[in-house]
Amino acid sequence: MAASLRCFLRSGKNTVSALQRRDFHRSAPAAVQMTVRDALNQAMDEELERDERVFLLGEEVAQYDGAYKVSRGLWKKYGDKRIIDTPISEMGFTGIAVGAAMAGLRPICEFMTFNFSMQAIDQIINSAAKTYYMSAGLQSVPIVFRGPNGASAGVAAQHSQCFAAWYGHCPGLKVVSPWNSEDAKGLLKSAIRDENPVVVLENELLYGVPFEMSEEAQSKDFTIPIGKAKIERQGNSITLVAHSRYVGHCLDAAAVLAKEGIECEVINLRTIRPMDVETIETSVMKTNHLVTVEGGWPQFGIGAEICARIMEGPAFNYLDSPVTRVTGVDIPMPYAKILEDHSLPQVKDIIFSVKKTLNI
Amino acid sequence: MLAIISNVLRASAQRNGAAVIMSARTYADFTTQATFEIKKCDVFKLDEGPATQVVLTRDEGLQYYRTMQTMRRMELKADQLYKQKIIRGFCHLYDGQEACAVGIEASINLSDHLITAYRAHGYTYTRGGTVKEIMAELTGRRGGIAKGKGGSMHMYCKHFYGGNGIVGVPLGAGVALACKYQGNNELCVCLYGDGAANQGQIFETYNMAALWKLPVIFICENNRYGMGTSVERAAASTDYFKRGEFIPGLRVDGMDVLCVREATRFAADHCRSGKGPILMELQTYRYHGHSMSDPGVSYRTREEIQEVRSKSDPISMLKDRMLSNNMASVEELKEIDVEVRKEIEDAAQFATTDPEPPLEELCNHIFCDMPSLEVRGTNPWAKLKSVS
């Protein structure tokens, strides 16, 4: 009895492995659900462990576990030397971070929101971004500036601005804008490993949203190249380009439009600077229509830049209609919920714009 | 015949011999070192200040003299080249303030770090830049220390972080943080002027440097004027050495290289012993205006400039000290002057004849470690290349 049981178990195991080898019943790779917050946390944890020159500084990043809990647990693990709570002195601590990068460390400088980075913008642009050029390659500045960017919920005008266009304007800076958890982890790790100043524009509303993390993305060496966009959804009718939160909105719009036979190709920019225009052009040359979607204001924005670049390149001749920009409303962000909701692109705005662009 | 030849030879031998004996007597005559009484520093939140009795060796004196004279002549040559329009844009000259740069460098190591604002030519030199590459940077040539891409205000070399448009104070504290983090016992000297001393970012930096005990020496080079505004018109308190509030401070005679050296020695010891930051105010003076576009006489009198030049010039002061203590001869110092003049002439010659950077360089050095990157030119068809 025992012997036959053993035989059965043994063969049973063999049978299962045989089945697997024959791909008879292929199970999906072990993906997990992870929030953007945890993905960012994991990215920083892994890079802190990997390179002792990496450290994090900012307001409330250490003992408070981060204003938005993105750095939760890091101070407990790495201590005062590597996770530094700063006083409320953006200009001062950003300059300190840049100086530390010049002298051989690899700082991650957190802004509680990018609105506060305006206090320190001289250090980001003049001290960090331009230095490699001014010194003709003598002095590099391997620093990461990260924090939540753009609209939140009910935080009103001074705390809701999108800085993608401001930072995307400047040579010498790399600017990334992750959407989902894989983006967040992969881009932040790349940013930390990059020898140049990188601005990582996160989004507070996405912090708590869980996304699937592939097995590959769970690896300690998972990085996403800076400067490469990703096609999140293939389609032939029209191209939608977005970054950060609005990638999700575009995918939602695409799902609705698919029911009417309109197949949207959704491109997740991932990087604002250097922008992957080729991916957009290739897509436009296939679909002949383009809609850009962003949370920032229209004037001099991401969409405006994409329009200009499309016009200057080969894709222009493939356009069957002018490019449409879907943007935030050109006003300071109001407080009242109904007003705030109508200040930013909604899924219905994207659907409407797609149909207008397709002349449907 | 032979007698005549031997007489001539004997005479010349005697002459040579005599000359040798005379030189030997002259060298033996020079004092190898002397002790000097220097001005006492005003102190703030310190129980004691730097020493007031200092020893200067002959070698040190000659070296300081040579360095200060080189800086002086270099700046005057820059003045000349600017007026000839060979140097353009901003040019902030350092003449008058030489004792600061030389005195500071005398008490730190090249392995320490230094950052200043835009009046940076002197520090670029003391930190290791050559006159040739400094001048060629001013004239915007490919042989410049930043290949012509930085200019007067943006010169860099090892452990010297410029040359900054506004002020490099927070950056300097960051460098100090890196020193502490890496445990290498190095410190950072962080300079700013009396004008910049009222910037908010400096007070933010004081706070963090003191809080985290960063090994930084804050130095305010007070040359009495922030561009055209005298210190009395800009600062509610002109006691710059006290403005660090909780940071100990020294007020130092910045025209005396020995004072600066001694104070820096004191400050460096303070930092390296882990006590945190310290602040030094160097009272100094610039002969030129704020920059080459400022004649420098609308907000101060020519008499004032002349008075400082005649009574407190740092180079004259050192020269007088050395001569009156028999530490050097007039001829020796003159010889140094001649050598310096030649070095400057050669450098200026290089700086005016070296070609400008090639146009292919235009877009290089945007990013570090980036294989070829495309950069948009002035029009959509101008696709330029950037390598680093």
Side-chain angles (χ1 to χ4, degrees), chain A residues 80-93:
Chain A
D80 286 328
K81 181 180 169 183
R82 316 262 327 263
I83 314 291
I84 304 177
D85 273 336
T86 64
I88 303 172
S89 314
E90 276 78 8
M91 177 75 137
F93 74 67

Side-chain angles (χ1 to χ4, degrees), chain B residues 48-115:
Chain B
E48 42 156 38
T52 49
Q53 283 226 327
V54 297
V55 171
L56 173 71
T57 69
R58 186 179 123 82
D59 286 342
E60 285 170 348
L62 290 172
Q63 191 229 313
Y64 301 159
Y65 181 83
R66 181 185 289 271
T67 312
M68 289 201 285
Q69 192 68 287
T70 306
M71 284 162 58
R72 175 67 61 90
R73 297 246 69 91
M74 180 176 77
E75 296 295 78
L76 293 179
K77 179 55 82 176
D79 168 281
Q80 218 176 64
L81 292 174
Y82 195 92
K83 287 173 176 149
Q84 294 174 289
K85 297 202 199 300
I86 299 171
I87 297 178
R88 46 190 275 283
F90 286 137
C91 192
H92 307 87
L93 298 177
Y94 198 66
D95 52 313
Q97 300 186 209
E98 295 86 358
C100 297
V102 173
I104 290 168
E105 196 62 48
S107 285
I108 61 172
N109 309 312
L110 277 175
S111 56
D112 289 315
H113 308 258
L114 192 141
I115 188 170

Side-chain angles (χ1 to χ4, degrees), chain B residues 80-314:
Chain B
Q80 218 176 64
L81 292 174
Y82 195 92
K83 287 173 176 149
Q84 294 174 289
K85 297 202 199 300
I86 299 171
I87 297 178
R88 46 190 275 283
F90 286 137
C91 192
H92 307 87
L93 298 177
Y94 198 66
D95 52 313
Q97 300 186 209
E98 295 86 358
C100 297
V102 173
I104 290 168
E105 196 62 48
S107 285
I108 61 172
N109 309 312
L110 277 175
S111 56
D112 289 315
H113 308 258
L114 192 141
I115 188 170
T116 183
Y118 47 75
R119 201 174 300 281
H121 310 158
Y123 289 101
T124 315
Y125 181 67
T126 52
R127 282 266 98 193
T130 64
V131 181
K132 212 163 141 191
E133 54 192 4
I134 293 172
M135 301 217 77
E137 186 62 34
L138 292 176
T139 55
R141 307 301 164 98
R142 62 180 73 184
I145 200 168
K147 301 199 173 104
K149 293 172 95 168
S152 166
M153 297 184 291
H154 307 297
M155 303 197 193
Y156 303 81
C157 61
K158 189 153 191 272
H159 290 205
F160 175 58
Y161 306 88
N164 288 279
I166 301 176
V167 78
V169 172
L171 300 176
V175 171
L177 185 132
C179 292
K180 185 170 180 182
Y181 189 105
Q182 293 165 331
N184 54 26
N185 203 33
E186 291 162 11
L187 53 78
C188 185
V189 175
C190 198
L191 293 129
Y192 54 97
D194 51 278
N198 299 313
Q199 280 254 316
Q201 54 180 307
I202 292 185
F203 294 90
E204 293 188 8
T205 310
Y206 286 160
N207 181 39
M208 285 182 273
L211 196 60
W212 300 332
K213 286 199 158 49
L214 301 179
V216 52
I217 304 175
F218 293 111
I219 301 187
C220 177
E221 276 181 298
N222 178 2
N223 59 19
R224 307 197 211 166
Y225 301 94
M227 197 150 136
T229 307
S230 68
V231 292
E232 295 79 36
R233 292 205 301 127
S237 161
T238 55
D239 289 332
Y240 294 102
F241 72 115
K242 293 184 184 170
R243 299 278 290 273
E245 198 189 337
F246 32 77
I247 296 178
L250 297 167
R251 183 157 51 195
V252 182
D253 179 0
M255 302 305 274
D256 182 351
V257 67
L258 295 179
C259 273
V260 179
R261 183 185 77 173
E262 212 50 45
T264 308
R265 183 172 295 163
F266 180 89
D269 286 343
H270 177 103
C271 278
R272 279 192 236 274
S273 64
K275 295 199 185 114
I278 188 167
L279 208 163
M280 274 166 54
E281 177 189 337
L282 301 180
Q283 292 187 304
T284 182
Y285 200 82
R286 53 167 164 82
Y287 296 141
H288 269 85
H290 162 74
S291 72
M292 284 305 297
S293 43
D294 168 29
V297 286
S298 62
Y299 48 86
R300 53 185 190 173
T301 61
R302 286 184 210 274
E303 288 74 45
E304 180 188 287
I305 305 170
Q306 195 40 44
E307 191 179 350
V308 176
R309 220 188 259 279
S310 58
K311 296 217 183 99
S312 321
D313 183 274

Side-chain angles (χ1 to χ4, degrees), chain A residues 131-305:
Chain A
T131 294
Y132 195 69
Y133 186 86
M134 290 193 295
S135 68
L138 260 173
Q139 180 66 67
S140 64
V141 188
I143 188 169
V144 172
F145 302 105
R146 53 159 289 272
N149 175 60
S152 179
V155 294
Q158 292 182 349
H159 290 75
S160 306
Q161 189 170 332
C162 176
F163 288 86
W166 283 36
Y167 291 118
H169 186 61
C170 303
L173 265 190
K174 294 190 183 178
V175 182
V176 299
S177 184
W179 165 55
N180 61 13
S181 301
E182 282 203 15
D183 284 357
K185 180 176 171 181
L187 289 172
L188 182 52
K189 282 169 79 78
S190 288
I192 295 168
R193 295 184 189 191
D194 202 302
E195 295 303 316
N196 298 286
V198 184
V199 170
V200 181
L201 302 171
E202 301 158 7
N203 187 286
E204 196 253 317
L205 295 169
L206 289 172
Y207 281 157
V209 178
F211 290 94
E212 195 173 277
M213 285 285 266
S214 66
E215 203 166 323
E216 190 205 350
Q218 290 167 55
S219 139
K220 277 195 173 156
D221 278 308
F222 172 69
T223 56
I224 288 177
I226 295 179
K228 208 78 197 73
K230 183 182 179 208
I231 299 174
E232 298 286 351
R233 183 189 194 283
Q234 302 229 350
N236 283 307
S237 316
I238 186 166
T239 303
L240 304 182
V241 182
H243 70 100
S244 187
R245 187 159 170 254
Y246 299 93
V247 175
H249 283 43
C250 287
L251 288 169
D252 291 345
V256 173
L257 289 161
K259 297 200 193 106
E260 297 176 49
I262 302 169
E263 292 298 331
C264 303
E265 180 143 291
V266 177
I267 299 178
N268 173 3
L269 266 181
R270 284 180 160 179
T271 300
I272 305 290
R273 184 173 188 115
M275 196 184 288
D276 181 4
V277 183
E278 288 77 43
T279 299
I280 307 175
E281 285 172 333
T282 308
S283 177
V284 170
M285 295 200 285
K286 180 174 76 170
T287 67
N288 312 122
H289 301 88
L290 178 57
V291 173
T292 68
V293 185
E294 67 195 287
W297 296 315
Q299 200 156 322
F300 307 107
I302 306 297
E305 174 65 14

Side-chain angles (χ1 to χ4, degrees), chain A residues 70-145:
Chain A
V70 177
S71 54
R72 174 170 42 212
L74 295 179
W75 175 68
K76 211 166 177 185
K77 184 171 176 185
Y78 295 100
D80 286 328
K81 181 180 169 183
R82 316 262 327 263
I83 314 291
I84 304 177
D85 273 336
T86 64
I88 303 172
S89 314
E90 276 78 8
M91 177 75 137
F93 74 67
T94 306
I96 283 177
V98 174
M102 289 180 175
L105 300 183
R106 303 187 76 90
I108 306 169
C109 178
E110 177 176 306
F111 293 114
M112 198 178 280
T113 77
F114 264 96
N115 300 282
F116 310 139
S117 74
M118 282 200 286
Q119 302 279 322
I121 201 162
D122 178 65
Q123 301 293 354
I124 301 172
I125 306 301
N126 281 330
S127 301
K130 296 179 185 171
T131 294
Y132 195 69
Y133 186 86
M134 290 193 295
S135 68
L138 260 173
Q139 180 66 67
S140 64
V141 188
I143 188 169
V144 172
F145 302 105

